[in-house]
Amino acid sequence: MTGSSVFLRRFMAHAVNNKHVAKPFASLQLPPTLLLGPGPSNPPPRVLAAMSLNTVGHLHPSYLRVMDEVQSLLRYAFQTDNKTTYAIAGSGAACMEATIVNLLEPGETVLVACNGYWGDRLTNVAERLGVKVHRVEGEWGAAIAAEELIKEIERLKPNAVFVTHGESSTGVCQPLDGIGEVCQKNNSLFIVDTVVTLGGMPFFADDWKVDVVYSGAQKCLSCPPGVSPISFGSRAVEKISSRKTPVASFYLDSLELSKYWGQERVYHHTGSINSTYALRESLVLLSEKGLENSWAQHEKVANSLFKGLEDIGLELLVKNPKERLLPVTTVKIPKGVDGKSIQGFLMNNYNIEIAGGLGKLAGKVWRIGLMGHNARYENVELVLTALKAALSQVKQ
């Protein structure tokens, strides 16, 4: 410790342990990968460029302007006028937890549509917070009839109702027709997960009377994961404001976060500054393209993929075309085929990543995503070519 200061000499009795950095670390290099799984998707160059801009303070006037722009752009994406609309520093899972921890108190009830992995996850989150869960079970690979959900809402009159709009584990898009109106009549808050559908399928938060909606940045918005959109309607804000107990999570407390994202600009946490730049740019790209055009693009490439998969002899999990999710397609793994070997072949030979199944569908399906920047015909052709090659060459 030659030339050490008086301050450092106070610690000379301690030896620095260098075993964890004994070998030099090379400059980080990652292979180019086409992300055609259920997320994340590949960000476009403009989004990555925005993320690399210089970092400013989390209360710097220029960053506050970015925050304001993100809020306006999110209102467009969600099709809402909700004042309480912002991005949480975390993944879509953080938003899922934020909805329950803010809206519901221990002993209150949530009705959960369970026809895939995310209904199970919400159940887990709610039960950990002392919330009573009533599950409406459905087949993994089919939508739950709206009539069934409505019947249970009217019977139970739960404090909240949770539906996953796009169930990425099964490839199902859950119709939301009429549910919001019934929730309002029964004093139930309507929560919708749009992690995989925002920007990729039609969604109208206000017209469908959704009280809380959240999403992820890394799916159809093609933004690197790390910040996630959420929006609370007036009924939800009123419920949160009238809680008898404090929100159990300070970090996810919507009333506290609203002071940071709102006019007060009260410090809450150090915002994910560069990730917010990226989210802003991804939302600008969506606004430039237009929601209708983005939805139409996802529909066209998804239909092309559906047909192409069936043409090479593969079977789609979701039988009803009207219930198929457009951004993520589930394909049954043929009998006798090792699904992971096929995925490995695609990665090793084509630098393409697709995913296997989750939960009940683990080892039974592949999940192919065509989302946001990746929702292009050339990617349909490429993944079909890769799958044909893999199925003919991989030894089972």
Side-chain angles (χ1 to χ4, degrees), residues 83-97:
K83 179 181 178 182
T84 308
T85 301
Y86 53 83
I88 286 178
S91 69
C95 287
M96 174 185 279
E97 190 148 342

Side-chain angles (χ1 to χ4, degrees), residues 8 24 90 119 133 172 184 213 222 240-241 244 251-252 265 275 381 383:
L8 291 179
V133 177
V172 169
Q184 287 194 353
V213 57
S222 291
I240 299 167
S241 301
K244 297 176 182 177
Y251 186 69
L252 298 175
R265 301 301 189 187
S275 292
E381 294 302 319
V383 74

Side-chain angles (χ1 to χ4, degrees), residues 56-173:
V56 296
H58 54 278
L59 290 172
H60 191 282
S62 61
Y63 182 61
L64 298 181
R65 286 195 295 272
V66 171
M67 293 170 70
D68 288 342
E69 291 173 351
V70 165
Q71 289 180 290
S72 293
L73 290 160
L74 285 176
R75 292 184 185 107
Y76 170 71
F78 282 131
Q79 288 294 284
T80 184
D81 293 326
N82 290 341
K83 179 181 178 182
T84 308
T85 301
Y86 53 83
I88 286 178
S91 69
C95 287
M96 174 185 279
E97 190 148 342
T99 62
I100 302 302
V101 77
N102 277 282
L103 293 180
L104 300 174
E105 300 186 65
E108 293 187 322
T109 302
V110 60
L111 184 148
V112 182
C114 295
N115 59 339
Y117 186 85
W118 302 114
D120 288 350
R121 171 68 68 83
L122 191 283
T123 297
N124 189 331
V125 169
E127 289 178 343
R128 286 171 181 242
L129 293 169
V131 173
K132 297 177 182 177
V133 177
H134 180 85
R135 293 164 59 93
V136 178
E137 303 286 352
E139 177 188 350
W140 283 43
I144 298 173
E147 295 78 12
E148 185 176 354
L149 290 172
I150 289 170
K151 179 181 177 181
E152 288 300 289
I153 295 168
E154 292 176 336
R155 184 179 70 86
L156 288 169
K157 301 188 187 311
N159 300 96
V161 174
F162 173 85
V163 176
T164 306
H165 184 223
E167 182 49 82
S168 61
S169 67
T170 63
V172 169
C173 182

Side-chain angles (χ1 to χ4, degrees), residues 84 103 211 232-242 254-255:
T84 308
L103 293 180
D211 294 297
F232 296 84
S234 58
R235 292 205 315 144
V237 173
E238 182 180 351
K239 173 68 166 64
I240 299 167
S241 301
S242 62
S254 179
L255 297 180

Side-chain angles (χ1 to χ4, degrees), residues 5-331:
S5 66
V6 173
F7 172 76
L8 291 179
R9 283 199 293 272
R10 293 167 54 197
F11 304 98
M12 289 181 64
H14 303 277
V16 173
N17 183 344
N18 291 314
K19 68 180 181 181
H20 299 294
V21 290
K23 296 181 180 179
F25 288 86
S27 176
L28 183 62
Q29 299 290 331
L30 297 173
T33 305
L34 180 58
L35 299 171
L36 299 185
S41 59
N42 293 96
R46 270 178 58 179
V47 172
L48 293 176
M51 195 171 189
S52 68
L53 294 173
N54 60 296
T55 303
V56 296
H58 54 278
L59 290 172
H60 191 282
S62 61
Y63 182 61
L64 298 181
R65 286 195 295 272
V66 171
M67 293 170 70
D68 288 342
E69 291 173 351
V70 165
Q71 289 180 290
S72 293
L73 290 160
L74 285 176
R75 292 184 185 107
Y76 170 71
F78 282 131
Q79 288 294 284
T80 184
D81 293 326
N82 290 341
K83 179 181 178 182
T84 308
T85 301
Y86 53 83
I88 286 178
S91 69
C95 287
M96 174 185 279
E97 190 148 342
T99 62
I100 302 302
V101 77
N102 277 282
L103 293 180
L104 300 174
E105 300 186 65
E108 293 187 322
T109 302
V110 60
L111 184 148
V112 182
C114 295
N115 59 339
Y117 186 85
W118 302 114
D120 288 350
R121 171 68 68 83
L122 191 283
T123 297
N124 189 331
V125 169
E127 289 178 343
R128 286 171 181 242
L129 293 169
V131 173
K132 297 177 182 177
V133 177
H134 180 85
R135 293 164 59 93
V136 178
E137 303 286 352
E139 177 188 350
W140 283 43
I144 298 173
E147 295 78 12
E148 185 176 354
L149 290 172
I150 289 170
K151 179 181 177 181
E152 288 300 289
I153 295 168
E154 292 176 336
R155 184 179 70 86
L156 288 169
K157 301 188 187 311
N159 300 96
V161 174
F162 173 85
V163 176
T164 306
H165 184 223
E167 182 49 82
S168 61
S169 67
T170 63
V172 169
C173 182
Q174 176 65 43
L176 303 176
D177 310 39
I179 298 174
E181 288 87 345
V182 175
C183 284
Q184 287 194 353
K185 291 177 182 177
N186 290 273
N187 199 30
S188 302
L189 294 171
F190 189 24
I191 306 168
V192 179
D193 176 318
T194 65
V195 167
V196 77
T197 52
L198 186 66
M201 296 192 74
F203 182 81
F204 300 89
D206 287 357
D207 287 353
W208 293 349
K209 296 178 171 51
V210 176
D211 294 297
V212 183
V213 57
Y214 65 87
S215 190
Q218 72 276 18
K219 311 280 186 171
C220 294
L221 298 182
S222 291
C223 177
V227 287
S228 300
I230 193 166
S231 182
F232 296 84
S234 58
R235 292 205 315 144
V237 173
E238 182 180 351
K239 173 68 166 64
I240 299 167
S241 301
S242 62
R243 289 176 60 102
K244 297 176 182 177
T245 59
V247 173
S249 168
F250 178 84
Y251 186 69
L252 298 175
D253 188 327
S254 179
L255 297 180
E256 298 292 339
L257 282 165
S258 295
K259 296 174 186 176
Y260 177 40
W261 282 85
Q263 295 303 311
E264 300 99 320
R265 301 301 189 187
V266 175
Y267 168 75
H268 177 267
H269 68 286
T270 301
S272 298
I273 296 160
N274 290 65
S275 292
T276 307
Y277 297 166
L279 177 61
R280 176 204 177 272
E281 196 66 19
S282 71
L283 291 165
V284 169
L285 287 170
L286 177 63
S287 70
E288 290 173 354
K289 188 179 188 70
L291 279 171
E292 298 93 334
N293 291 330
S294 181
W295 299 336
Q297 179 69 11
H298 283 83
E299 181 182 24
K300 290 175 183 176
V301 296
N303 285 332
S304 178
L305 178 64
F306 298 157
K307 183 179 184 302
L309 290 167
E310 290 173 338
D311 286 346
I312 63 173
L314 293 173
E315 183 181 356
L316 302 182
L317 177 70
V318 183
K319 299 301 182 186
N320 186 345
K322 294 181 180 180
E323 295 179 353
R324 287 176 187 161
L325 192 56
L326 301 179
V328 177
T329 300
T330 44
V331 190

